[in-house]
Amino acid sequence: MKKQSVFTFLLCLLFVSVSAQDFSFGVKGGINITSVGGGTYTGFGGLGSKISFHLGGVAEVPISEKLAVQPELLYSSQGTKWNFVGGSNLKLDYVNLPILAKYYIIEGLSAEAGPLVGFLLSTNAEKEDYNNLDVAFAIGASYKLNDNIFFGIRYNKGLTDINKNDEITVSNQNNVFQLFAGYAF
């Protein structure tokens, strides 16, 4: 019930943002450099970074000349490289909903920050071992090259434990560094 309430709240906020008079929307995609932080699994090796991708839609709703709200809907492939015997990767695929406050420092250049809620779609591990809901804080910067083309960087710091299995005694969070480019319509 709690997950449905968060999802409903975010959808309502997205709808209110998009129904504002002056807004733009577009598509974006890019590279993820992902890892799982937090506790370590003693005796099993370490967790390393994994390269993956994200892709989705973005809207921008101006509030003033310098401030805007930027809701997004993204597919994001995350996880980690396991440096265990066998060296396999953990893949965690999410639908992420960041809602960012965007402040224009100078024309074209903006700083952005805000909450991100992710919903686990699939994994190459046992899905019941991982929480379906992930909450993170996103911070980054972007630059509008012109009215249509933009690019940027972002870091998503996981705030909640992704582990659901009671036998896993450590707390782990998603960490995602993103490089992206996009096109606004």
Side-chain angles (χ1 to χ4, degrees):
M1 185 67 175
K2 186 177 178 182
K3 293 175 190 174
Q4 291 174 333
S5 297
V6 170
F7 184 69
T8 302
F9 171 75
L10 291 173
L11 283 179
C12 289
L13 187 57
L14 182 63
F15 177 75
V16 168
S17 296
V18 171
S19 65
Q21 290 180 350
D22 187 23
F23 73 95
S24 63
F25 64 95
V27 293
K28 67 179 272 191
I31 297 171
N32 287 347
I33 302 170
T34 69
S35 65
V36 172
T40 59
Y41 302 92
T42 306
F44 290 109
L47 303 173
S49 295
K50 176 183 154 209
I51 305 292
S52 57
F53 71 96
H54 66 280
L55 180 67
V58 58
E60 184 174 325
V61 182
I63 296 173
S64 70
E65 189 175 305
K66 293 238 178 222
L67 191 62
V69 174
Q70 181 171 299
E72 300 177 1
L73 179 63
L74 305 170
Y75 168 84
S76 184
S77 181
Q78 299 172 193
T80 191
K81 186 175 194 174
W82 295 57
N83 297 323
F84 301 150
V85 176
S88 64
N89 291 334
L90 172 63
K91 184 177 178 186
L92 300 167
D93 295 327
Y94 289 91
V95 168
N96 285 339
L97 299 166
I99 299 179
L100 307 173
K102 190 169 188 170
Y103 179 77
Y104 282 93
I105 301 164
I106 59 172
E107 186 176 344
L109 179 64
S110 63
E112 50 198 43
L116 178 150
V117 176
F119 299 92
L120 183 64
L121 294 176
S122 65
T123 179
N124 62 347
E126 297 294 326
K127 192 169 180 183
E128 60 272 2
D129 287 344
Y130 295 93
N131 284 315
N132 291 325
L133 184 68
D134 183 36
V135 177
F137 184 78
I139 187 166
S142 62
Y143 185 77
K144 283 185 176 179
L145 192 58
N146 56 36
D147 286 339
N148 302 105
I149 298 171
F150 61 92
F151 55 90
I153 61 172
R154 183 177 301 159
Y155 179 69
N156 302 329
K157 172 61 180 154
L159 301 175
T160 56
D161 188 2
I162 62 171
N163 298 323
K164 186 176 178 182
N165 186 331
D166 292 335
E167 294 177 12
I168 299 174
T169 58
V170 296
S171 176
N172 294 118
Q173 300 81 32
N174 283 311
N175 297 310
V176 183
F177 178 75
Q178 298 178 320
L179 297 170
F180 59 85
Y183 187 84
F185 300 100

